[in-house]
């Protein structure tokens, strides 16, 4: 890629591109609700703004893009197998439950429902594996290879808005004169069916449940600003599959939900729920009190097919990612050596912070060389990790036992590129790095795999001075890859 990417555009041209991008986004539902202070002129949730987005697609090596896609089917199977491994979950929770109250409460639900007998043996996964490009210091950008940041098993978001962003960049290329400046061609912008894949996953689980009048329920956060990313899934589910979806908070499930004492069918507001799809409930902030925990337990006990089950959520922990990196552990779940080695090739260095020999070595290493690492707790949704000097400060405050709540990971060093980001109408210019997400759709009926699919992609781009990558958390914009 020449150094003049993104294409040089005059300020008049840039204003035109911005105007086209904003109008297309508003017209095509590439939107989010503005922050509360900006909604004040409107009642009844009537205000939207375009989603934070990249004005140009960001270059991404074609081979690495397809490599990530090809890893997704094995990941789907791997996650499912881990979720069925009671020994793994018990091992994981032995120490975590003593230092992480949120994980402990999830585990309590897992244990209780297992001892009662599981009503629904099917499970649905709508996952997303996230990758950054890594090049060793001093090495050429062309050596950059994907390394996995994490895998998400609950509430993986932005599938819909990412599909729309891929379309936006194609639109800008076909509609704005000289947008690409000869540097962007249509065949470099891959199709992205994330929203359709997610809807197909939900529809497949609904069909497996086998009751034509039952509905899908999406568990949402009250006041969700990213509601349109969710709505697109709902509309696709209705339009393409004829399946209806209820949006409910966990509190509403407790207040208006019932479990049939015999079949354990879950009914909410009179509708039987075939599939429960969580877009909330991934972190402690979604559980304001016992009501939400009661809702989570009720759903887990129910006959509805969960996306995800508590077991899926537990094995999505960062600690499991670290355990998998231990020689032999990943291989235990993967049928053939070639696949295992392909998966392993994308692993960054991961280290335990427990009281084992390795744990103590990692602890010393982190104190000595903090800039090389990221310290991660068992949390989701962005903004929870610790970097640089803060690692030393955090580790110094923790007892040996408390360190168990964290893992240590090598910092992935992504060669920066340039791009223009658009946030609430304002253009931000600067060096950026992009994180690629690949969606995975997986349905198992308890004995057999029913669906195993790659489900489209997401590219999130952030300024290099921000460490974390969440779009909703305000750190990043939605982008699409320009395959090079
Ligand atoms: P979460 O579950 O909260 O999204 P992540 O592991 O994805 O947690 O970390 C959040 C963000 O932090 C990522 O999107 C990425 O930008 C950054 N990050 C995480 N791990 C690394 C790493 N090993 N190297 C560089 N950046 C990282
Ligand atoms: Mg995550
Ligand atoms: Mg993440």
């Amino acid at each position: 890629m020449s150094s003049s990417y993104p294409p040089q555009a005059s300020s008049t041209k840039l204003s035109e591109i911005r105007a086209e991008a904003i109008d297309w986004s508003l017209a095509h539902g590439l939107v989010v609700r503005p922050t509360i202070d900006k909604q004040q002129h409107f009642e009844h949730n009537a205000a939207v703004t375009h989603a934070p987005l990249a004005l140009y697609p960001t270059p991404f090596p074609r081979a690495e893009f397809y490599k990530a896609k090809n890893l997704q089917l094995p990941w789907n199977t791997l996650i499912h197998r881990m979720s069925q491994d009671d020994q793994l979950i018990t091992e994981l929770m032995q120490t975590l439950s003593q230092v992480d109250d949120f994980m402990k409460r999830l585990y309590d639900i897992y244990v209780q429902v297992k001892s009662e007998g599981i009503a629904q043996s099917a499970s649905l996964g709508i996952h997303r594996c996230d990758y950054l490009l890594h090049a060793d210091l001093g090495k050429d950008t062309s050596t950059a290879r994907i390394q996995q940041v994490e895998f998400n098993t609950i509430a993986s978001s932005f599938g819909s808005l990412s599909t729309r962003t891929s379309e936006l960049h194609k639109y800008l290329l076909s509609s704005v004169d000289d947008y690409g400046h000869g540097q962007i061609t249509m065949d470099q912008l891959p199709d992205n069916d994330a929203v359709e894949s997610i809807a197909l996953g939900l529809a497949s689980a609904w069909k497996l449940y086998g009751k034509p009048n039952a509905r899908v329920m999406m568990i949402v956060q009250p006041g969700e600003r990213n509601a349109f990313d969710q709505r697109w899934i709902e509309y696709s589910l209705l339009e393409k599959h004829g399946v209806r979806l209820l949006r409910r908070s966990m509190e509403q499930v407790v207040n208006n939900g019932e479990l049939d004492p015999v079949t354990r069918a879950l009914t909410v507001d009179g509708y039987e729920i075939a599939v429960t799809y969580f877009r909330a409930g991934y972190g402690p902030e979604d559980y304001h009190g016992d009501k939400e925990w009661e809702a989570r337990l009720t759903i887990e006990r129910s006959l509805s097919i969960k996306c995800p089950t508590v077991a899926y959520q537990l094995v999505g922990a960062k600690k499991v990612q670290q355990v998998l990196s231990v020689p032999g552990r990943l291989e235990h779940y993967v049928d053939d050596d070639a696949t295992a080695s392909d998966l392993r090739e994308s692993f960054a260095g991961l280290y335990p912070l427990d009281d084992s020999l390795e744990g103590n070595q990692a602890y010393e290493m982190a104190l000595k060389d903090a800039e090389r690492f990221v310290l991660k707790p068992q949390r989701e949704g962005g903004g929870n990790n610790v970097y640089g000097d803060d690692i030393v400060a955090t580790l110094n405050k923790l007892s040996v036992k408390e360190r168990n709540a964290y893992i240590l990971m090598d910092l992935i060093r992504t060669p920066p590129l340039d791009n223009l980001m658009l946030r609430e109408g304002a253009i931000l210019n600067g060096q950026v790095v992009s994180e690629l997400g690949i969606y995975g759709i997986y349905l198992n009926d308890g004995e057999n795999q029913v669906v195993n699919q790659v489900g489209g992609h997401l590219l999130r781009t952030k300024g290099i001075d921000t460490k974390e990558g969440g779009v909703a958390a305000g750190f990043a914009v939605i982008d699409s890859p320009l395959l090079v």
Side-chain angles (χ1 to χ4, degrees), residues 125-426:
I126 297 178
H127 309 306
R128 201 187 65 225
C129 289
D130 292 335
Y131 304 88
L132 282 168
L133 288 167
H134 174 83
D136 287 330
L137 282 175
K139 284 272 172 65
D140 186 53
T141 335
S142 65
T143 66
R145 299 288 175 263
I146 49 162
Q147 294 207 322
Q148 187 175 58
V149 175
E150 62 153 350
F151 55 92
N152 294 288
T153 58
I154 180 165
S156 300
S157 58
F158 292 111
S160 308
L161 296 192
S162 126
T163 295
R164 295 286 97 89
T165 303
S166 294
E167 292 163 358
L168 166 70
H169 289 151
K170 288 181 197 230
Y171 162 77
L172 291 173
L173 180 61
S174 56
S175 130
V176 177
D177 280 335
D178 208 27
Y179 168 74
H181 217 69
Q183 292 181 275
I184 309 174
T185 55
M186 225 23 119
D187 65 352
Q188 291 179 284
L189 302 176
D191 288 339
N192 187 1
D193 61 353
V195 61
E196 290 84 6
S197 310
I198 294 169
L200 178 98
L202 293 169
S204 307
W206 174 86
K207 204 166 148 202
L208 180 64
Y209 189 84
K211 290 248 184 99
N213 291 323
R215 297 193 177 186
V216 174
M217 174 168 66
M218 189 189 290
I219 301 292
V220 297
Q221 294 172 338
E224 171 68 78
R225 287 181 50 218
N226 192 27
F228 303 100
D229 184 53
Q230 303 170 341
R231 286 288 190 183
W232 274 119
I233 295 168
E234 174 180 347
Y235 302 150
S236 180
L237 191 60
L238 183 65
E239 287 161 18
K240 304 243 165 68
H241 306 278
V243 177
R244 293 176 68 174
L245 180 147
L246 303 176
R247 290 170 66 83
R248 292 292 184 273
S249 67
M250 296 229 261
E251 190 177 353
Q252 288 171 319
V253 173
V254 156
N255 293 340
N256 311 331
E258 259 182 288
L259 274 193
D260 183 293
V262 180
T263 65
R264 284 202 249 161
L266 172 63
T267 309
V268 175
D269 293 313
Y271 300 106
E272 183 167 346
I273 305 301
V275 184
T276 305
Y277 172 41
F278 286 91
R279 289 295 294 259
Y282 52 82
E285 50 292 327
D286 285 340
Y287 299 80
H288 307 115
D290 289 340
K291 273 204 161 177
E292 283 84 2
W293 283 112
E294 199 185 321
R296 188 67 196 263
L297 175 63
T298 303
I299 293 165
E300 192 66 16
R301 297 175 73 197
S302 79
L303 188 64
S304 80
I305 299 175
K306 274 74 69 183
C307 178
T309 59
V310 165
Y312 265 54
Q313 185 172 356
L314 288 172
V315 301
K318 309 264 182 319
K319 181 68 193 172
V320 170
Q321 188 187 0
Q322 179 263 306
V323 168
L324 276 181
S325 78
V326 174
R329 296 301 295 265
L330 164 73
E331 290 72 12
H332 178 69
Y333 302 101
V334 181
D335 292 331
D336 65 293
D337 296 349
T339 306
S341 97
D342 287 348
L343 288 165
R344 207 169 257 292
E345 213 181 281
S346 71
F347 288 9
L350 290 146
Y351 315 90
L353 282 169
D354 51 22
D355 56 7
S356 66
L357 179 64
E358 293 79 17
N360 282 308
Q361 284 171 346
Y363 171 73
E364 298 295 337
M365 199 166 69
L367 289 182
K368 219 173 85 206
D369 230 350
E371 294 301 323
R372 275 180 47 209
F373 301 105
V374 187
L375 180 66
K376 296 191 179 187
Q378 313 305 310
R379 287 292 166 275
E380 297 299 327
N384 301 298
N385 297 336
V386 185
Y387 300 87
D389 289 343
D390 295 340
I391 294 182
V392 178
T394 304
L395 286 179
N396 280 333
K397 274 188 285 190
L398 299 174
S399 68
V400 177
K401 190 174 160 192
E402 285 166 341
R403 276 184 228 152
N404 278 294
Y406 295 81
I407 61 152
L408 190 70
M409 184 173 184
D410 282 345
L411 192 70
I412 303 168
R413 297 182 192 276
T414 311
L417 297 168
D418 287 303
N419 205 343
L420 301 170
M421 301 187 281
L422 186 67
R423 191 181 275 286
E424 294 184 338

Side-chain angles (χ1 to χ4, degrees), residues 444-459:
N444 192 293
D445 65 8
E447 281 173 12
N448 294 302
Q449 173 181 303
V450 180
V451 176
N452 188 8
Q453 286 197 3
V454 188
H457 59 268
L458 164 70
L459 197 74

